[in-house]
Amino acid sequence: MNETFDVVIVGAGTAGLAALREVTKRTQNFILINDGPWGTVCARVGCMPSKTLIEAANAFHHRGTFEEFGIRGAGSLTLDVAAALQRVRRLRDKFVASTLKTTEALGQRAISGRARLLGVGRVEVNGHELRARHIIIATGSSPVVPVPWRAFGKRVLTTDTLFEQETLPSRMAVIGLGPIGVEMAQALSRLGVDMVAFGEQPTIAGLRDIRVNAVATDLLKHEFPLFLGEKADLDTADGRMRVRTRVNETVVDSVLVSLGRRPNIDNLGLETLGVELNAQGLPPVDRHTMQIADIPVFMAGDINEHKPLLHEAADEGHIAGINATRAAPVRFTRRTPLSIVFSDPGIAAVGSRLSSLDVNKTLMGEMQFKHQGRAMAGQRNKGVLRLYAQPETGRLLGAEMCVPAAEHMAHLLALAIGHSLTVHEMLRMPFYHPVLEEGLRTALRGLSKQLPSCGESDLAGCEAFDAEALD
C-alpha cells in the first residue's frame, strides 16, 4: 500500500462519509481511519433511534384523543416497553447496516484505530505513520457528562446508552433541555416513565423568541414538571439518584444527561498543525471552504461546533471532500439555517433568529393555533408561529414556531427565505383548504397588514373570512 496518500480522512461519521463520497470521485489514493464503532452517530445513537422511540411514544400517547373521536376502550391499552425498545434497536441496526455498506467495500483503505496528527501532512494510526497531501478531520463529538457524575455508572445515561436499555425505570430525570433533552423527556414521559426535567437556561430546545419559548414550556409543563433557570447537580440518596438545584430536589431511579456534545479532539494532535487554537482547543475553520487557516487540512461535521445537525455535517463533508482534492479550495454558499425539534407540537427555527435582528426594525406576524380549523379537527390545536420580515421590502427573514407539523412548515419557510421571497409573494402561493399551512397564511396576513397594500388585482390581498371553518 502506498504510504503517501492524496487524502487521509479521519472519522467515518456523516461528515467523513460525505467527504469520502467526493474523494472517491477524484482519486483512489486515500485512507479512511475510524476510532470506535463504524456507522454514523445519527444511525447508531442519534437521529434515527431517537425518532423511532418518539414514534412509539406518540403512538401510545394518542390513545388520549380516542374518546373525543368516539373511539372507546382506550383505557385498556397497555405498552410493552421492552418490545418498543427492541424495535428501536432492530431498526437502529438496520440503519447502521446501511451506512456500513459504504465502508466495508474499502478493504485495506479503511483502518480501525485512533489517529493522531503529527503535523501538517502527517498522521499516526496504530503506531504507523501515514503521509498525506491533504487531511480531513471529521472525528465528530461525544455527549458531555461532568467528570464527578461518571462515578454513578449506569444510573447516569446519555443517548449513547439510553437505547441499549432492556426496559425503562419507573422514575427518571433529564438534565439539559436543548433539542435532544426536550425530545427525550417528552418521549419517555409518554412511554409511561414518571419524568422530571431540569434546564439551566430559561429557554428550551434552542428557542430564542421568548414568546414561542413561553408557549413551548407551558405545553410541556402539562406533561411533566419542568424546572428552568437553575443549575442541577447529582448525588445519591438511599441507592437512588438525587437531583438538586438551589430551590428544588427530587429523587429518581436514573438520570438522562443531555448537556450537549463536545468535539472529539482529545489526543488528536491539533496543536501540531502550527495554528492558533481557541479556548476549546479548536483551530480556525472557514465554514465556506472547511479549511483550517491556510494549511491543507480540513475540518468537517460535529467537531466544528458550528451546528451539530446531520444535513450541516453532510454539507461540510461534501465541501471538505471536494476542496481536499483541488489545488485551491472553492468557497461554497451555505444553506438557509434550519433546525427542527421533534417534540409535540414540533419546534423549529428557520433563517435569521430574532436575537440577531433589530426588533425595532423588524416586522412580526403571529398565529395562535388554538382555533386553527384543521388543527382542531385533529385535536392538534395548540402552539404558536412567529414570522419576521423586513419593513422596507417585506422580505421574509426568519421564523420560530411551536406548532403541529412544524417539520413541514419549516421546510416551506426555508425554501421561501432561501429564495428571498416577500410576504406578498408568499401570499400569492396557493394554500389548499383545509390544511395546517393555512395557519402560516394567517401569520403572513398579519405581516401584510403592516406593509404597503398591494394592488386590487393582486391575489396577495385576498383577506381572511374570519371563520374557523374557512381559514
Side-chain angles (χ1 to χ4, degrees):
M1 182 183 292
N2 189 343
E3 293 193 356
T4 299
F5 301 96
D6 290 333
V7 183
V8 168
I9 304 172
V10 182
T14 299
L17 293 182
L20 175 69
R21 182 185 60 229
E22 298 308 317
V23 167
T24 55
K25 292 177 183 178
R26 296 162 177 84
T27 179
Q28 294 302 304
N29 186 25
F30 67 87
I31 284 290
L32 175 66
I33 304 170
N34 189 68
D35 182 32
W38 293 73
T40 67
V41 165
C42 172
R44 285 190 301 105
V45 295
C47 317
M48 300 312 295
S50 67
K51 302 315 169 283
T52 306
L53 188 72
I54 288 168
E55 290 290 353
N58 288 344
F60 188 54
H61 180 72
H62 287 161
R63 74 195 186 284
T65 66
F66 288 178
E67 192 71 22
E68 176 68 18
F69 282 128
I71 305 171
R72 311 304 182 203
S76 63
L77 293 176
T78 59
L79 175 69
D80 186 336
V81 174
L85 291 171
Q86 285 175 358
R87 178 178 183 267
V88 170
R89 289 190 291 275
R90 184 172 69 250
L91 287 180
R92 182 273 313 275
D93 292 344
K94 182 178 180 179
F95 297 138
V96 170
S98 70
T99 68
L100 293 177
K101 291 179 182 178
T102 303
T103 54
E104 288 174 343
L106 296 179
Q108 292 184 332
R109 287 178 295 181
I111 299 175
S112 292
R114 180 178 288 272
R116 177 174 171 78
L117 301 171
L118 301 176
V120 175
R122 300 172 59 208
V123 180
E124 180 185 54
V125 59
N126 299 332
H128 192 63
E129 181 177 337
L130 308 177
R131 292 186 175 269
R133 296 178 180 88
H134 297 86
I135 298 172
I136 298 174
I137 304 169
T139 50
S141 62
S142 300
V144 172
V145 179
V147 173
W149 296 4
R150 298 174 192 173
F152 299 123
K154 294 181 179 180
R155 288 173 294 183
V156 171
L157 302 173
T158 69
T159 51
D160 279 5
T161 56
L162 174 64
F163 308 115
E164 301 304 322
Q165 305 305 302
E166 298 292 331
T167 187
L168 295 173
S170 298
R171 182 168 170 78
M172 290 182 66
V174 170
I175 299 179
L177 287 170
I180 300 301
V182 166
E183 289 179 354
M184 291 298 94
Q186 186 179 55
L188 292 167
S189 175
R190 291 183 169 192
L191 288 169
V193 179
D194 184 8
M195 291 298 302
V196 60
F198 298 85
E200 185 174 354
Q201 303 301 320
T203 55
I204 64 170
L207 288 168
R208 300 182 190 173
D209 187 316
I210 59 172
R211 181 83 181 93
V212 180
N213 184 71
V215 171
T217 54
D218 182 64
L219 289 171
L220 285 179
K221 284 178 179 178
H222 283 83
E223 298 195 39
F224 51 86
L226 202 62
F227 300 105
L228 301 176
E230 290 282 347
K231 185 176 181 179
D233 203 357
L234 294 181
D235 61 15
T236 57
D238 298 325
R240 302 177 74 199
M241 297 303 303
R242 179 167 56 192
V243 187
R244 293 181 294 108
T245 70
R246 186 173 57 84
V247 294
N248 290 291
E249 179 178 310
T250 189
V251 176
V252 297
D253 300 311
S254 63
V255 176
L256 175 65
V257 178
S258 183
L259 297 175
R261 301 179 69 89
R262 64 182 299 274
N264 292 330
I265 59 174
D266 291 347
N267 301 312
L268 184 57
L270 291 174
E271 70 279 0
T272 68
L273 296 178
V275 298
E276 185 176 354
L277 305 180
N278 64 17
Q280 287 71 46
L282 293 169
V285 178
D286 186 330
R287 67 186 305 269
H288 298 284
T289 66
M290 306 321 301
Q291 186 176 20
I292 294 176
D294 59 354
I295 60 177
V297 182
F298 301 83
M299 183 176 280
D302 288 4
I303 189 173
N304 279 325
E305 292 189 312
H306 288 159
K307 291 178 183 175
L309 304 170
L310 182 139
H311 70 279
E312 296 283 358
D315 284 352
E316 293 187 359
H318 175 84
I319 296 168
I322 290 174
N323 281 336
T325 52
R326 290 175 53 89
V330 61
R331 293 180 64 81
F332 284 75
T333 300
R334 300 299 294 265
R335 302 181 199 265
T336 301
L338 170 64
S339 63
I340 297 171
V341 180
F342 294 86
S343 55
D344 178 24
I347 295 171
V350 190
S352 298
R353 309 299 291 271
L354 186 59
S355 57
S356 69
L357 300 172
D358 184 342
V359 294
N360 296 315
K361 298 180 180 179
T362 302
L363 302 182
M364 299 183 199
E366 179 174 313
M367 169 58 184
Q368 294 276 350
F369 272 69
K370 183 176 182 180
H371 300 293
Q372 205 276 330
R374 179 62 186 276
M376 292 174 68
Q379 297 189 66
R380 305 170 69 189
N381 50 317
K382 50 189 177 182
V384 63
L385 166 68
R386 297 254 287 172
L387 302 178
Y388 321 128
Q390 191 177 64
E392 297 84 2
T393 65
R395 181 169 64 88
L396 197 64
L397 299 175
E400 282 196 19
M401 68 197 78
C402 175
V403 296
E407 60 191 278
H408 306 297
M409 210 90 69
H411 279 88
L412 175 59
L413 286 165
L415 178 66
I417 293 169
H419 285 78
S420 300
L421 296 186
T422 66
V423 170
H424 288 153
E425 286 171 334
M426 289 198 69
L427 284 171
R428 292 181 193 121
M429 295 167 45
F431 286 83
Y432 207 80
H433 177 77
V435 294
L436 293 166
E437 283 77 7
E438 288 176 299
L440 168 60
R441 183 178 61 184
T442 299
L444 288 167
R445 283 170 168 165
L447 283 171
S448 180
K449 291 178 180 178
Q450 303 172 58
L451 294 166
S453 60
C454 55
E456 288 187 352
S457 60
D458 192 338
L459 284 176
C462 181
E463 296 183 352
F465 285 100
D466 291 326
E468 292 168 358
L470 300 177
D471 289 326

